[in-house]
Amino acid sequence: MKSGNKVGQQAVRPAVMAALLAGTALGCFATQPVLAQTPAATSAAINIPSQALSSALIAFSRQTRIEIFVASSLASGKRSSAVSGAQAPEAALQRLLAGTGLTYRFTGGRSITVEAAPRAGALGAAPAGAIPLDEVVVEGARGLPPPTGTIGQPPAPYAGGQVGTGTRIGLLGNRSVLTTPFNVTGYTAKLIQDQQARSLADVVQNDPSVRNDAPAFSERDSFFIRGFSVVNLDTAFDGLAYIANPRRSVVEGIERVEILKGPTALLNGGVARIGGTINLIPKRAFDEPLTRLTTTYLSDAQLWTQVDVGRRFGASKEWGVRFNGSYRKGDTPLDKNAIEVGNLSLGLDYRGDRFRASFDLAHSTQNVTAPTSLFNAAAANIAIPRAPNGRRNTSSSLEYNDSRYNMAAGRVEFDILPDTTIYAAAGASRYLEDFLSSSYQITRMDGRATNSLAIMPLELQGYSGEVGLRSKFQTGFIDHQINISASQSINENYSRGFFPPALPTFQTNIYAPVHLPRDSISTFGFPRSSRQPLFTRLTLRSLAVADTLSIAGDRIQVTVGGRYQDIDLQSYVTRPVPTRGSLASTYKEGRFSPAIAAVVRPTDKLSIYANYIEGLTEGPSAPATAINSSEVFAPVVNKQTEVGVKYDFGTVAVTASLFEIRQPNAYTDPGTNRFSVSGLQVNRGAEFTVFGEPFEGVRLLGGVTFMDAELADTAGGRFNGKTAPGIPTTAINLYGEYDLPWVRGLTFTGRMIYTSKMFYDQANTQSVPDWTRFDLGLRYAFTGPAGKPVVLRASVENVFDKTYWASAARGFLAVGAPRTYVLSAQVDF
């Protein structure tokens, strides 16, 4: 199947697909078993009444376990013929499509693409394997979301079922992955289910340019993309900033996880996110009803239950409801560590001929006993000792991290013309966190360390909104897609910092930890997260305009645009009590960030692209010790240049990119004592990725990233030319699946993750060694005794129980997780 599908194309597939298809996890057709007999030769009982073609194809997919992909515009307004009785699936499909003017072709062992049949005498022969069908003219088709809309199902998956053919590119809307001038990937719900992902951190392990820097079994996820920190606070939900869970995003209610690499000032606005932006697309109800129950066991003693229910209502199924609920509780493989996670999400949507709307609610709680800390470190005067066993926990049973999160978000679209859409979106969230936690600093090579306890009640509130317009039109021989957006985002931090300072500090050893008795510290009277004063308020306001100009049938596309952004950061006094609430400092600056990007497509399969784009961070203020004390600097401009190539082989695609990101930073010159934004870090990299189904029943996903992260300009030139800490020179993530031909529905899965040596300090005198982790798994899909589709999954993560430092970024150390077993059973009712 060609990956360069038009925006708005989507797979006609039920959310129940992962259970129905016997599976693969790497491509869009990846849940299908490889059968001893082809679908055309295997007889089955198929009963589908005459109905809307899209609904009929969904029913066909469920009854035959063959995955169907079709452009929504092709299926719109068409009705199928009735099919009944025992027959070969291929014969049934021919009857369903009879008189619709559509044909089909096999694109995998059990995957089919439906497409328009060529007219007799038209240029171009029908593709191999295509069955020509009668052509009719359909009138009065109900309008579906145009390319200028985003509400509804995301773009269709690519071959193998694990990545999308398109993603949301910020204000540009949905664009094809293989023809957009940026490096972007959208991981599907099918991949999330097949890999049994617990949170966003598990999903991003498919990308070699992303590294997790938060330790296993902590309360949070945190990432490095292209060598720059991107914390979970910066994750977007349905395109809106600061409303996703700021610590950890669970993924039960998520349809796509989209990673857009590089700065995104034009596309998304905001500050930070220099390495990239992660966007979560919520699940929406499919036309076919869905009721799915999944039960999971994770070592050492965690039980996890998930429910996924979807329904559509109305004469044309215009109203949709999608509910996801989950609960997980039990001991993890880490000593003394236990976790309790509850999650509820509700997605409502309406799809009319010209008006579309969606509304999402989310609630989650997370309670972690003896959590590991993000802030574990090593003293500057020692070599980093070997990593401790991944089961050793320096935290005590009396330590905890308890959090609550609530979110609401809505989005509306209206097509004022067939190719012109106005839209608006808004959302709000509230996150509360209470904890008593410890972090250590290693002081000796033998593992001796100083452990410090702290509490910091915290409340985060986020608000985000945007309005905009997308329009497609022509001026002479040039096609345009204009995008205009105005947005505002607010992030409020309510906290008094770490408190109280008198909690004990004690000696421990990372290889033989010292634990405090449960009753040694009383938390009675500790301040709570719901009663904290306002510490900081960040307000971002922006206006963006972009135009994509296309000529020669979209063979050449150039996107030009920019965003003006106003950054307003206010800090408040939180203690002592007499001055609490007064303004401590304020920062208000603005800047225009331009961008230009281009794509040239010599053939339908080959895309060559380049881009220049910027990202902003708020400018610093000179410290009191500098000669220019209190001087406030303009927003810092981070610049990326990138070139790349993407090639679509039909069922497998490869991409390659070269990029450079220049991040200025500030320091006080030791010679002049002047503080200025004169520092510079330059990250240069090469990325190579592959996704799809190169051979029938074999799927691949992942790639390799090579990185040269240089400290180009440092204070006094002390570290000039050194490698930036925490960034590996080589990173490999490769996931594969193989449908075992001798057992119908049985799939073998495997993954390899490699991270090269990383430096811990700027002087490059401290480092952690390279490491390699292997995961293995099996998946078996079959029809149960009651005729219900069932999927069993089993996986072992870190098969060889490798002990390693997973990250050395930001001056902190994170230990990798030990061997972990995950078993699950999924049933559709």
Side-chain angles (χ1 to χ4, degrees):
M1 182 184 75
K2 290 183 180 180
S3 61
N5 296 345
K6 296 292 185 182
V7 176
Q9 186 177 29
Q10 56 192 24
V12 176
R13 68 201 193 313
V16 297
M17 181 179 303
L20 299 174
L21 307 175
T24 80
L26 268 158
C28 152
F29 309 134
T31 331
Q32 325 306 334
V34 174
L35 305 182
Q37 293 178 292
T38 66
T42 305
S43 181
I46 302 174
N47 295 286
I48 303 172
S50 177
Q51 57 188 296
L53 181 59
S54 59
S55 299
L57 291 175
I58 291 173
F60 175 84
S61 178
R62 295 195 66 177
Q63 294 183 30
T64 63
R65 295 186 302 194
I66 295 174
E67 193 161 4
I68 300 289
F69 297 103
V70 61
S72 59
S73 59
L74 291 179
S76 173
K78 295 181 173 64
R79 293 190 63 81
S80 73
S81 301
V83 173
S84 179
Q87 55 197 293
E90 187 171 7
L93 181 59
Q94 292 181 31
R95 291 187 177 91
L96 287 176
L97 296 178
T100 64
L102 302 179
T103 185
Y104 68 91
R105 57 189 173 93
F106 287 96
T107 51
R110 295 193 65 88
S111 55
I112 290 174
T113 292
V114 174
E115 53 197 10
R119 295 176 180 268
L123 292 177
I131 309 298
L133 302 168
D134 296 337
E135 180 178 5
V136 297
V137 177
V138 180
E139 298 180 359
R142 187 173 68 90
L144 292 177
T148 49
T150 61
I151 294 177
Q153 298 299 333
Y158 186 72
Q162 296 176 338
V163 301
T165 57
T167 67
R168 183 94 55 87
I169 311 294
L171 87 156
L172 302 183
N174 289 340
R175 297 288 179 94
S176 165
V177 166
L178 290 170
T179 59
T180 193
F182 302 98
N183 193 325
V184 61
T185 305
Y187 298 106
T188 66
K190 174 178 168 11
L191 177 68
I192 294 171
Q193 294 162 358
D194 285 341
Q195 293 185 341
Q196 303 179 101
R198 278 83 77 190
S199 74
L200 179 58
D202 297 314
V203 181
V204 301
Q205 289 186 123
N206 295 289
D207 196 315
S209 291
V210 183
R211 283 296 177 264
N212 294 310
D213 73 307
F217 312 115
S218 70
E219 81 287 354
R220 71 181 72 195
D221 296 334
S222 183
F223 317 107
F224 263 60
I225 304 178
R226 287 188 169 177
F228 294 101
S229 175
V230 178
V231 298
N232 212 69
L233 174 67
D234 292 318
T235 299
F237 179 89
D238 199 21
L240 296 174
Y242 298 133
I243 66 169
N245 191 310
R247 287 291 186 259
R248 171 168 289 152
S249 296
V250 295
V251 289
E252 289 92 329
I254 300 303
E255 184 67 32
R256 290 281 165 87
V257 172
E258 300 177 338
I259 302 177
L260 175 59
K261 298 173 192 171
T264 56
L266 167 66
L267 304 175
N268 297 294
V271 293
R273 301 196 296 270
I274 305 308
T277 298
I278 300 175
N279 184 36
L280 306 178
I281 302 296
K283 289 180 177 178
R284 297 285 176 243
F286 294 99
D287 284 356
E288 190 78 359
L290 167 67
T291 303
R292 171 176 293 161
L293 174 66
T294 304
T295 58
T296 306
Y297 166 84
L298 301 94
S299 57
D300 279 350
Q302 299 176 71
L303 294 178
W304 182 16
T305 301
Q306 306 172 59
V307 176
D308 187 357
V309 179
R311 295 290 188 275
R312 298 209 72 88
F313 305 94
S316 300
K317 298 187 176 181
E318 57 269 28
W319 298 94
V321 179
R322 188 76 178 268
F323 169 80
N324 277 266
S326 68
Y327 181 74
R328 173 164 57 99
K329 183 179 181 180
D331 296 335
T332 75
L334 183 70
D335 295 340
K336 302 183 181 300
N337 181 263
I339 190 167
E340 180 183 25
V341 181
N343 175 59
L344 299 173
S345 65
L346 179 66
L348 310 175
D349 73 280
Y350 173 82
R351 58 188 195 195
D353 289 339
R354 299 173 62 190
F355 176 77
R356 297 170 298 281
S358 65
F359 184 69
D360 291 279
L361 294 171
H363 168 77
S364 66
T365 61
Q366 178 180 255
N367 303 318
V368 186
T369 301
T372 54
S373 174
L374 175 69
F375 306 110
N376 296 326
N381 59 347
I382 65 168
I384 306 296
R386 62 178 174 83
N389 186 297
R391 293 177 176 79
R392 296 287 181 265
N393 192 357
T394 58
S395 299
S396 302
S397 297
L398 58 83
E399 299 177 42
Y400 63 89
N401 186 292
D402 298 338
S403 63
R404 291 86 67 201
Y405 163 74
N406 293 285
M407 185 274 295
R411 183 174 289 271
V412 295
E413 296 176 343
F414 181 72
D415 304 329
I416 57 178
L417 295 171
D419 285 324
T420 300
T421 299
I422 55 175
Y423 63 90
S429 70
R430 186 187 189 204
Y431 174 85
L432 298 169
E433 179 181 271
D434 294 285
F435 73 80
L436 168 65
S437 182
S438 66
S439 59
Y440 60 74
Q441 183 181 53
I442 303 170
T443 56
R444 300 289 182 87
M445 274 290 294
D446 61 4
R448 279 181 279 182
T450 300
N451 212 357
S452 303
L453 283 165
I455 68 168
M456 191 183 76
L458 173 71
E459 177 180 351
L460 297 173
Q461 294 185 16
Y463 307 91
S464 187
E466 66 172 342
V467 295
L469 175 145
R470 299 188 185 99
S471 181
K472 298 182 68 175
F473 59 91
Q474 286 184 313
T475 57
F477 62 92
I478 300 176
D479 293 327
H480 297 263
Q481 181 161 332
I482 289 287
N483 301 272
I484 302 173
S485 171
S487 65
Q488 175 172 295
S489 299
I490 299 173
N491 181 48
E492 295 180 341
N493 182 320
Y494 294 81
S495 172
R496 279 182 283 179
F498 289 100
F499 176 90
L503 286 170
T505 295
F506 59 96
Q507 298 303 304
T508 188
N509 191 296
I510 62 173
Y511 306 121
V514 174
H515 296 113
L516 299 177
R518 271 188 174 274
D519 58 353
S520 60
I521 296 177
S522 173
T523 59
F524 179 77
F526 279 10
R528 304 296 295 175
S529 57
S530 58
R531 296 190 294 272
Q532 296 304 300
L534 178 62
F535 179 38
T536 61
R537 176 187 287 119
L538 173 64
T539 303
L540 304 170
R541 304 178 184 90
S542 69
L543 176 65
V545 179
D547 184 11
T548 298
L549 303 91
S550 305
I551 61 174
D554 292 343
R555 293 287 188 186
I556 300 175
Q557 301 178 36
V558 177
T559 299
V560 293
R563 181 185 296 266
Y564 179 82
Q565 188 159 242
D566 182 72
I567 303 173
D568 185 351
L569 177 61
Q570 297 177 333
S571 299
Y572 297 86
V573 175
T574 59
R575 52 184 177 179
V577 173
T579 59
R580 182 183 301 168
S582 61
L583 192 64
S585 65
T586 183
Y587 176 90
K588 189 171 184 179
E589 296 285 341
R591 189 185 187 278
F592 178 77
S593 299
I596 183 169
V599 177
V600 177
R601 301 175 59 203
T603 72
D604 288 340
K605 297 179 177 296
L606 176 63
S607 297
I608 303 169
Y609 73 92
N611 66 66
Y612 168 83
I613 193 168
E614 298 179 349
L616 293 184
T617 52
E618 61 267 26
S621 298
T625 56
I627 193 173
N628 56 333
S629 173
S630 301
E631 180 180 351
V632 176
F633 290 82
V636 176
V637 181
N638 306 266
K639 303 176 180 180
Q640 173 182 278
T641 53
E642 178 182 7
V643 295
V645 61
K646 306 174 185 180
Y647 193 86
D648 177 17
F649 288 93
T651 60
V652 65
V654 295
T655 73
S657 60
L658 301 173
F659 66 87
E660 178 185 87
I661 302 176
R662 304 175 69 88
Q663 182 185 52
N665 51 69
Y667 62 77
T668 301
D669 188 281
T672 64
N673 197 35
R674 176 171 293 277
F675 182 85
S676 63
V677 183
S678 300
L680 181 65
Q681 177 178 324
V682 181
N683 287 11
R684 299 180 179 93
E687 299 164 325
F688 304 91
T689 62
V690 60
F691 53 88
E693 192 168 13
F695 308 102
E696 186 175 291
V698 177
R699 289 161 295 279
L700 293 175
L701 176 64
V704 58
T705 295
F706 302 103
M707 186 87 71
D708 176 20
E710 179 189 2
L711 300 175
D713 195 344
T714 60
R718 183 181 177 189
F719 304 120
N720 289 6
K722 299 293 186 179
T723 298
I727 303 174
T729 57
T730 304
I732 303 173
N733 294 56
L734 187 61
Y735 177 77
E737 292 191 346
Y738 175 57
D739 296 335
L740 300 175
W742 52 86
V743 180
R744 175 176 177 170
L746 185 63
T747 299
F748 173 80
T749 69
R751 182 191 347 233
M752 187 270 282
I753 302 175
Y754 170 78
T755 300
S756 66
K757 170 183 174 180
M758 293 175 284
F759 289 108
Y760 178 71
D761 64 331
Q762 289 186 323
N764 292 176
T765 59
Q766 296 172 292
S767 64
V768 300
D770 65 339
W771 56 270
T772 305
R773 190 188 102 181
F774 293 93
D775 304 338
L776 295 175
L778 286 172
R779 184 172 65 253
Y780 181 51
F782 61 96
T783 300
K788 304 298 183 183
V790 179
V791 180
L792 304 179
R793 300 180 177 94
S795 63
V796 183
E797 300 171 355
N798 193 0
V799 171
F800 301 111
D801 205 17
K802 176 77 171 180
T803 295
Y804 59 97
W805 292 112
S807 176
R810 295 194 290 173
F812 305 120
L813 294 167
V815 179
R819 182 189 296 125
T820 303
Y821 301 94
V822 187
L823 306 170
S824 69
Q826 173 186 295
V827 182
D828 288 4
F829 296 95

